[in-house]
Amino acid sequence: MASGGEPALGPSMGMARKLAAILSADVAEYSRLMGEDEEETIRTVTVYREVIATFVQQHRGRVVDSPGDNLLAEFASVMDAVQCAVAIQRELNTRNTALPLQRRMQFRLGINLGDVIPDGERIYGDGVNIAARLESLAEAGGICISGTVYDQIATKLALRYEFLGERAVKNITKPVRVYRVHTESGPPAAASE
Amino acid sequence: MASGGEPALGPSMGMARKLAAILSADVAEYSRLMGEDEEETIRTVTVYREVIATFVQQHRGRVVDSPGDNLLAEFASVMDAVQCAVAIQRELNTRNTALPLQRRMQFRLGINLGDVIPDGERIYGDGVNIAARLESLAEAGGICISGTVYDQIATKLALRYEFLGERAVKNITKPVRVYRVHTESGPPAAASE
């Protein structure tokens, strides 16, 4: 917990903070899947979690933790985080086509950009909570990003974005701008769409 | 994933299952604490998590994972799990008296007894979900246990128990009997209380 040479302010020891792109993921309808077939669900979530971890690594990210059907990852670059998320959804979408409809497992992904407080392998902070909130707003198989992420990538990544409005986040004063990222392959649509 | 020499039944590979007492913990009002003082909250949750992990180990349990303000542990014995939970709440209660009221951090604990499916370091299954549900029903600084736990320990552990009724759990057909365990030190009260 070195404070980078800066003097401590007040009673705070000045925990180190760093900017990170945070990816939060969870399985849509996980309870239903487990309720219908526990063992098959465990097999699928294990394989899909490994797929996600591989993509995170390939995009220079780090899986922070992955309890149950959740996964939290951090990236030093917003571009990497978003491209990783799109790659994950496309790959899982392809894998799902091999499964019966009722057995398909879709992840919801949320990406935020913000200060985090690293503590060993863990990360803390508003930025993490906002990523989890964005994830909960995503559709099954979908991606939601915050306005701060959108501002960084919109002109750089040829994807379709849709503004979903501002949403409140528990204990965060300012509402968060939310965008949906469309993950279909193919040419990006015109701005009017 | 050895199936213990038993023939596989149908399409299932027969994942190994084992009976375990599952302890689920989380911090009450974590968002408020983080919102009011992020760094102080991280310090407290880090210390308290270590306290809990130490007690779990002392009671022959294993911490499965502990993302954010959550902690999941398993025990081979129901007695160990409940005694551990009581020890944790008493210790954290004592530690909290040293903190200003607004900075006190209280955990909610839930304990269930059930089959789990181990997968490496992870555990899966209804029993885990029920433990999490019991935790959410506990008061700050309190413990809730399922009826199956109660049946095992009520005559063995001199604690005060209070029946809270049956509660529904998502995707579990049968409602779960819920008991509150009182953690105050002192002689156990008469059955009529």
Side-chain angles (χ1 to χ4, degrees):
Chain A
M1 295 198 205
S3 60
E6 289 174 19
L9 298 170
S12 162
M13 286 166 66
M15 286 184 175
R17 288 170 187 257
K18 67 174 180 185
L19 206 57
I22 304 133
L23 171 70
S24 178
D26 84 336
V27 175
E29 297 191 68
Y30 185 65
S31 300
R32 177 186 63 78
L33 290 165
M34 284 293 270
E36 288 174 6
D37 191 334
E38 233 171 25
E39 304 200 355
E40 202 52 46
T41 303
I42 295 169
R43 282 193 200 95
T44 307
V45 78
T46 303
V47 172
Y48 282 20
R49 194 194 290 121
E50 279 164 21
V51 168
I52 293 174
T54 303
F55 275 103
V56 167
Q57 214 168 4
Q58 284 171 355
H59 290 81
R60 293 168 288 278
R62 179 178 76 87
V63 174
V64 177
D65 52 38
S66 57
D69 65 317
N70 296 287
L71 187 140
L72 182 70
E74 63 166 352
F75 299 79
S77 144
V78 190
M79 291 276 282
D80 283 345
V82 176
Q83 287 180 309
C84 180
V86 172
I88 288 168
Q89 294 297 33
R90 287 182 182 162
E91 172 66 21
L92 296 186
N93 194 34
T94 303
R95 286 176 179 255
N96 272 330
T97 56
L99 297 176
L101 263 181
Q102 288 299 306
R103 288 283 89 211
R104 293 182 184 177
M105 180 176 285
Q106 294 187 297
F107 278 77
R108 302 181 298 180
L109 304 183
I111 304 171
N112 183 38
L113 167 62
D115 256 357
V116 298
I117 304 173
D119 180 24
E121 296 289 295
R122 299 168 189 275
I123 56 174
Y124 291 95
D126 286 352
V128 181
N129 304 341
I130 294 171
R133 176 80 171 113
L134 291 162
E135 164 220 292
S136 74
L137 294 170
E139 295 176 320
I143 303 169
C144 276
I145 62 176
S146 62
T148 50
V149 170
Y150 175 81
D151 296 342
Q152 295 288 322
I153 59 157
T155 60
K156 294 179 194 153
L157 285 179
L159 297 162
R160 282 208 301 134
Y161 306 95
E162 184 184 344
F163 183 54
L164 298 185
E166 297 195 327
R167 302 297 174 96
V169 180
K170 202 176 166 188
N171 278 293
I172 309 284
T173 317
K174 237 183 122 195
V176 173
R177 286 181 295 139
V178 179
Y179 290 81
R180 175 187 299 155
V181 180
H182 290 261
T183 56
E184 312 86 22
S185 306
S192 63
E193 269 193 74
Chain B
M1 294 197 202
S3 60
E6 288 173 20
L9 298 170
S12 163
M13 285 166 66
M15 286 184 175
R17 287 170 188 257
K18 66 172 181 186
L19 206 56
I22 304 134
L23 171 69
S24 179
D26 84 336
V27 175
E29 298 191 68
Y30 185 66
S31 300
R32 176 186 64 78
L33 291 165
M34 284 292 270
E36 287 173 8
D37 191 334
E38 231 170 26
E39 304 199 355
E40 203 53 45
T41 303
I42 295 170
R43 281 193 200 95
T44 308
V45 78
T46 303
V47 173
Y48 282 19
R49 193 193 293 121
E50 278 164 22
V51 169
I52 294 175
T54 303
F55 275 102
V56 167
Q57 215 169 4
Q58 283 172 355
H59 289 81
R60 292 167 289 278
R62 178 179 76 88
V63 175
V64 177
D65 52 39
S66 58
D69 66 317
N70 296 287
L71 187 140
L72 181 69
E74 62 167 352
F75 299 79
S77 144
V78 189
M79 291 276 282
D80 284 344
V82 175
Q83 287 180 309
C84 179
V86 172
I88 288 167
Q89 293 297 34
R90 287 183 182 161
E91 172 67 21
L92 296 186
N93 194 35
T94 304
R95 286 177 180 254
N96 272 331
T97 56
L99 297 176
L101 262 183
Q102 287 300 305
R103 288 285 88 211
R104 292 181 185 179
M105 181 177 285
Q106 295 186 296
F107 278 76
R108 303 181 297 180
L109 305 184
I111 304 171
N112 184 38
L113 167 61
D115 256 359
V116 297
I117 304 173
D119 181 24
E121 297 289 295
R122 299 168 188 275
I123 55 173
Y124 291 95
D126 285 352
V128 181
N129 304 339
I130 293 171
R133 175 82 172 110
L134 290 162
E135 163 221 292
S136 75
L137 294 170
E139 294 176 320
I143 303 170
C144 276
I145 61 176
S146 62
T148 50
V149 170
Y150 175 81
D151 296 342
Q152 295 289 321
I153 59 157
T155 59
K156 295 179 195 155
L157 285 179
L159 297 162
R160 281 210 302 134
Y161 306 95
E162 184 185 343
F163 184 53
L164 298 185
E166 297 195 327
R167 303 297 174 97
V169 180
K170 201 177 167 188
N171 277 292
I172 309 284
T173 317
K174 236 182 125 197
V176 173
R177 284 182 295 139
V178 179
Y179 290 80
R180 175 186 300 156
V181 180
H182 290 259
T183 56
E184 312 85 23
S185 306
S192 62
E193 267 194 73

